[in-house]
Amino acid sequence: MRFNSYFKKLFLFFAITVAALPLCAQKQYVSFSPDKKIKLIVSVTDSIRYELLYNQGQLISPSTVSLKTDFLKNKPFKISNTETKSVNQILSPVVRQKNKTIKDQYNELQLYSKEKIALIWRVYNNGIAWRWVVKDNRDYKIIKEIASFGFQNTDTSWYPLEDSFYSHNERTYKNLPLSEIGQNQLASLPALFSVKNGVKLLITESDLFNYAGMWIKGDGKGKISGVFPHYPKQKEITSDRDEKILSREDFIAKCNHPQEFPWRIIMIAPNDADLLSNQLVYQLASPSKGDFSWVQPGKVSWDWWNANNIFHVDFKAGINNDTYKYYIDFAAKYGLKYIVLDEGWSDTKDLLKTVPDINVQELCDYGKGKGVGVILWTTWLTLDQQLDKALDQFEKWGIKGIKVDFMQRDDQNMVNFYERVAKAAVQKKMLVDFHGAYKPTGMYRTYPNVITSEGVFGLENSKWDPQKRISPDHNVTLPFIRMVAGPMDYTPGAMLNAQKDSWAPIFNCPMSLGTRCHQLAMYVVFESPLEMLADSPTHYYAEPECMKFLKSVPSVWDTTIPLQAKVGEYVVIARKAANDNWYIGGMTNWTERDLNLNLSFLSSGKYNIQIWQDGINADRNAQDFKVIRSAVDNTSSLKVHLAPGGGVAAIISPEK
């Protein structure tokens, strides 16, 4: 009996010892957000896993991160030393997309290995981020990166489903449970997830340079993982705007110097409205260097969406100087900063060769006399081939910016093209609007002249989409997902508006789904420091009451305050302009609703308010609206009815 007892005790000792071995080998690091609500746990063994908690509830279960280089082979990440720091500073954006200043406060955990690789973590009050840093001067390749996110398969998503890595990233958002997101469900970023207790998590990235963009896939069990387009091996030019990738290398990127790789971001929003004020993409981006005081945001008259469909004029409308002088006159009358000459002004294969009826120098001179700048559209491929010569010529003409289109990729080659254009445009003091683009990743902080970008399923699609996807439902989803990543060139401003049963896609005379006030509200809700007026100037001239609002509303803001918000249902935002006027924009989906707007965000004193709201018949005729004027103060509340697909826009001015 004693013999058996002895061996039982010995067996138990060895069992406990063996079971404890992984725990002994594991190193665990914990970091909290400044307000202590978010807890990040990083565990290091032969692999690195992180866990994310909010108010002691698990948001992300233990999930793996790793970076494999060709010089590391399969060596595990062995920590040689660690550092921590806390930062609390104020950022002052060159271009004020949301706010004049941003509070940038976080705790940072730095993990260093002997192999000259570091893993940096930051924990904010509204999210976390991590990035890899390689401090090696040799030539090397990034073979693989693992960025995983452990959700529950019962969690849900707003998932921008894609067909392939070749994409404009113009997607609607599919409401999918995580159990339905498998290896074949590729998505671009940002993507939104709803987890325990309705907390929203948004995944995206920042500071993307000299690397490939991150996309995501699932495993059908709740795990989401980053995937990356590999470096192009063979390419073929197939048109004046397209380059086809025939094959790819077995690595993501090649590098020849120490490099900080992109931040992987998980934003945390206990309330839907919290997404509207999150600026982590900007905060995590590299700051700008040099003087960017010459960057001038503003509104723009755009020709392409309305197909130059102007009338009540004594000249033939089209791609000619008479038409664009008409745009310039319109812009000057209503205080618009720029006009765009979109596709058609030049030979698409030669930016130095204009079409016969366009004289760019004459238009620039005419615009300069009226305080209106000219922006030129180009395909990326032709611009890449003629970058120096084209920008030299544009500078001689007096061009203020370029709109670059059809990139449709974010592998390392294409990401480097973006930076090459941004840098070249800085030298010429030109703005850049990237169309056919991937999502913003903070370049608008590093290069503030990159003032906006597309990568959004925007109004232009209403010219041809019989599925009616550019709908109010979509419009009140965008602010919580795509817009959180950065400025979005949705191109609002339709003056021909229709309810669902009265709408049809008409390419040369397009209309929008939803009400007139739904469109007006976009100028407050949607963020783009280079905000377009997409419709025909002739239509705007016929709408003087709407133009009072569109003339007044700015494209940049000193203060942003979300008032009411629910993803895919409604959004109401108040924003303060530099002149101390406040603006309110509210939008609903196809559900009509009554809003009670509390004005307690106002300072003390008396104010005058003008409200553009849906008319009594807007449920039938979406162009019906009314304007109401009254006196208010910070104790006032406004009751506003929104029609199906409706909206409200308001200007609140201090009483003088």
Side-chain angles (χ1 to χ4, degrees):
M1 292 293 292
R2 286 182 183 178
F3 184 81
N4 289 340
S5 177
Y6 170 81
F7 278 102
K8 283 181 181 178
K9 289 178 181 179
L10 189 62
F11 175 81
L12 184 60
F13 169 80
F14 279 113
I16 292 172
T17 302
V18 171
L21 282 175
L23 296 177
C24 295
Q26 176 177 281
K27 292 183 178 180
Q28 196 172 84
Y29 305 87
V30 177
S31 185
F32 288 91
S33 59
D35 65 5
K36 305 298 183 185
K37 292 183 179 180
I38 299 173
K39 181 180 181 181
L40 170 70
I41 304 170
V42 180
S43 302
V44 182
T45 54
D46 285 343
S47 62
I48 303 172
R49 293 158 72 85
Y50 74 97
E51 182 180 359
L52 185 59
L53 295 89
Y54 178 79
N55 281 341
Q56 300 183 350
Q58 187 185 72
L59 299 179
I60 299 288
S61 61
S63 303
T64 302
V65 300
S66 74
L67 188 75
K68 181 181 178 182
T69 68
D70 57 349
F71 67 83
L72 255 188
K73 305 299 181 185
N74 292 315
K75 291 181 182 178
F77 186 86
K78 297 293 185 182
I79 293 178
S80 58
N81 66 296
T82 65
E83 293 181 19
T84 60
K85 68 176 182 179
S86 296
V87 172
N88 190 357
Q89 62 186 349
I90 299 296
L91 307 179
S92 299
V94 173
V95 179
R96 301 170 180 178
Q97 180 187 336
K98 292 181 187 287
N99 295 293
K100 183 178 181 179
T101 59
I102 301 170
K103 185 176 182 179
D104 187 43
Q105 185 180 15
Y106 58 88
N107 292 322
E108 185 169 283
L109 169 65
Q110 304 170 3
L111 307 177
Y112 296 95
S113 78
K114 297 176 182 178
E115 289 80 13
K116 296 184 179 181
I117 293 182
L119 177 58
I120 314 298
W121 297 86
R122 287 186 184 175
V123 188
Y124 296 79
N125 289 337
N126 57 357
I128 71 158
W130 74 87
R131 81 177 330 167
W132 293 94
V133 179
V134 175
K135 299 190 174 185
D136 205 303
N137 284 303
R138 74 182 96 180
D139 292 347
Y140 59 94
K141 297 183 179 73
I142 304 299
I143 306 300
K144 185 178 182 180
E145 179 182 353
I146 295 176
S148 62
F149 309 85
F151 296 101
Q152 301 297 316
N153 63 5
T154 53
D155 293 337
T156 58
S157 68
W158 285 264
Y159 201 73
L161 198 61
E162 298 273 4
D163 298 320
S164 73
F165 288 131
Y166 183 77
S167 172
H168 288 282
N169 290 176
E170 299 176 17
R171 297 289 158 165
T172 57
Y173 298 94
K174 308 295 184 184
N175 259 134
L176 298 175
L178 272 290
S179 59
E180 293 183 14
I181 301 175
Q183 284 292 322
N184 294 325
Q185 278 71 49
L186 176 71
S188 49
L189 295 179
L192 184 63
F193 300 85
S194 182
V195 297
K196 191 181 299 182
N197 297 325
V199 174
K200 303 297 190 302
L201 301 184
L202 185 136
I203 297 174
T204 193
E205 62 181 331
S206 181
D207 219 32
L208 172 61
F209 293 105
N210 196 37
Y211 198 64
M214 186 169 82
W215 302 53
I216 55 175
K217 289 183 177 181
D219 68 352
K221 299 177 183 178
K223 187 175 83 171
I224 296 293
S225 297
V227 289
F228 304 86
H230 279 209
Y231 192 88
K233 184 176 183 179
Q234 293 177 296
K235 300 184 290 185
E236 178 186 11
I237 295 175
T238 55
S239 72
D240 57 3
R241 64 188 63 188
D242 206 1
E243 184 180 64
K244 185 177 180 181
I245 306 301
L246 301 177
S247 63
R248 294 188 181 272
E249 301 282 3
D250 60 356
F251 56 85
I252 298 171
K254 54 183 180 180
C255 309
N256 57 11
H257 54 75
Q259 182 167 329
E260 297 176 327
F261 291 90
W263 289 100
R264 309 312 173 199
I265 303 174
I266 306 174
M267 299 181 186
I268 302 173
N271 303 297
D272 291 7
D274 297 330
L275 292 163
L276 303 174
S277 54
N278 195 305
Q279 296 184 81
L280 286 184
V281 171
Y282 181 91
Q283 291 167 248
L284 288 158
S286 298
S288 60
K289 297 177 182 178
D291 176 26
F292 283 90
S293 59
W294 53 270
V295 174
Q296 296 187 44
K299 299 193 292 292
V300 190
S301 182
W302 184 36
D303 58 340
W304 186 86
W305 188 76
N306 63 78
N308 286 314
N309 195 356
I310 61 179
F311 47 97
H312 300 318
V313 295
D314 58 1
F315 57 85
K316 192 72 173 177
I319 299 176
N320 56 56
N321 270 31
D322 286 338
T323 297
Y324 287 108
K325 286 180 179 179
Y326 180 85
Y327 281 97
I328 290 170
D329 291 343
F330 165 71
K333 179 175 180 177
Y334 289 107
L336 310 186
K337 198 76 179 173
Y338 307 99
I339 69 163
V340 171
L341 272 66
D342 212 288
E343 184 172 8
W345 69 271
S346 75
D347 183 332
T348 55
K349 295 181 180 179
D350 186 356
L351 297 172
L352 307 179
K353 184 178 179 181
T354 60
V355 297
D357 292 333
I358 290 290
N359 184 321
V360 179
Q361 184 69 69
E362 182 181 325
L363 289 175
C364 288
D365 292 344
Y366 186 79
K368 184 177 181 180
K370 299 204 169 200
V372 178
V374 175
I375 294 171
L376 294 180
W377 174 94
T378 169
T379 65
W380 80 272
L381 192 54
T382 303
L383 181 65
D384 194 33
Q385 294 165 345
Q386 296 185 300
L387 185 60
D388 293 336
K389 289 182 180 179
L391 292 191
D392 284 346
Q393 181 60 63
F394 293 178
E395 182 182 36
K396 290 177 184 176
W397 283 334
I399 294 302
K400 299 300 181 183
I402 52 177
K403 178 179 176 181
V404 190
D405 209 349
F406 290 106
M407 288 76 71
Q408 303 177 97
R409 298 178 1 234
D410 64 353
D411 50 49
Q412 187 184 27
N413 273 178
M414 187 58 77
V415 168
N416 288 347
F417 166 78
Y418 277 65
E419 187 174 20
R420 191 160 61 250
V421 170
K423 285 181 175 179
V426 168
Q427 299 305 312
K428 305 298 183 181
K429 293 189 175 181
M430 292 180 190
L431 305 179
V432 181
D433 175 2
F434 283 119
H435 261 235
Y438 58 79
K439 80 280 180 188
T441 58
M443 186 177 279
Y444 56 100
R445 181 181 183 191
T446 313
Y447 299 99
N449 61 315
V450 179
I451 197 165
T452 194
S453 65
E454 195 182 26
V456 61
F457 195 62
L459 188 69
E460 69 176 27
N461 292 276
S462 63
K463 288 167 71 76
W464 55 71
D465 179 32
Q467 295 175 289
K468 304 182 181 181
R469 291 175 296 169
I470 302 297
S471 67
D473 292 332
H474 174 67
N475 296 336
V476 295
T477 303
L478 286 173
F480 303 93
I481 307 177
R482 165 57 185 83
M483 195 175 80
V484 182
M488 61 178 196
D489 198 8
Y490 176 96
T491 65
M495 292 291 106
L496 301 180
N497 322 104
Q499 289 290 346
K500 194 182 304 184
D501 294 339
S502 304
W503 183 90
I506 304 172
F507 191 88
N508 289 326
C509 191
M511 65 181 86
S512 72
L513 282 158
T515 71
R516 172 70 55 79
C517 290
H518 190 85
Q519 288 288 310
L520 295 181
M522 290 178 180
Y523 287 87
V524 181
V525 175
F526 289 174
E527 296 165 358
S528 178
L530 194 70
E531 191 67 273
M532 304 282 171
L533 272 69
D535 214 329
S536 165
T538 309
H539 290 163
Y540 291 126
Y541 279 132
E543 299 288 349
E545 284 290 345
C546 291
M547 290 312 300
K548 288 178 183 177
F549 178 79
L550 292 178
K551 180 179 180 179
S552 171
V553 66
S555 64
V556 289
W557 306 98
D558 279 10
T559 307
T560 290
I561 301 177
L563 299 180
Q564 299 179 31
K566 190 169 184 181
V567 179
E569 295 191 22
Y570 56 87
V571 57
V572 188
I573 298 178
R575 302 191 195 263
K576 188 179 183 182
N579 64 359
D580 289 333
N581 283 352
W582 282 90
Y583 292 78
I584 294 176
M587 301 160 62
T588 183
N589 57 8
W590 284 124
T591 301
E592 63 179 325
R593 66 184 76 242
D594 293 299
L595 299 177
N596 191 13
L597 305 181
N598 188 317
L599 303 186
S600 60
F601 58 84
L602 296 173
S603 300
S604 60
K606 300 294 183 181
Y607 296 82
N608 296 312
I609 188 169
Q610 298 179 73
I611 308 170
W612 285 255
Q613 66 181 77
D614 296 327
I616 195 169
N617 294 305
D619 59 335
R620 296 176 59 195
N621 186 331
Q623 294 178 191
D624 187 28
F625 71 94
K626 59 183 177 181
V627 181
I628 299 172
R629 295 171 175 85
S630 65
V632 295
D633 59 27
N634 61 8
T635 67
S636 302
S637 61
L638 304 174
K639 292 184 178 180
V640 181
H641 179 75
L642 274 60
V648 60
I651 305 173
I652 306 174
S653 307
E655 194 173 86
K656 296 179 181 179

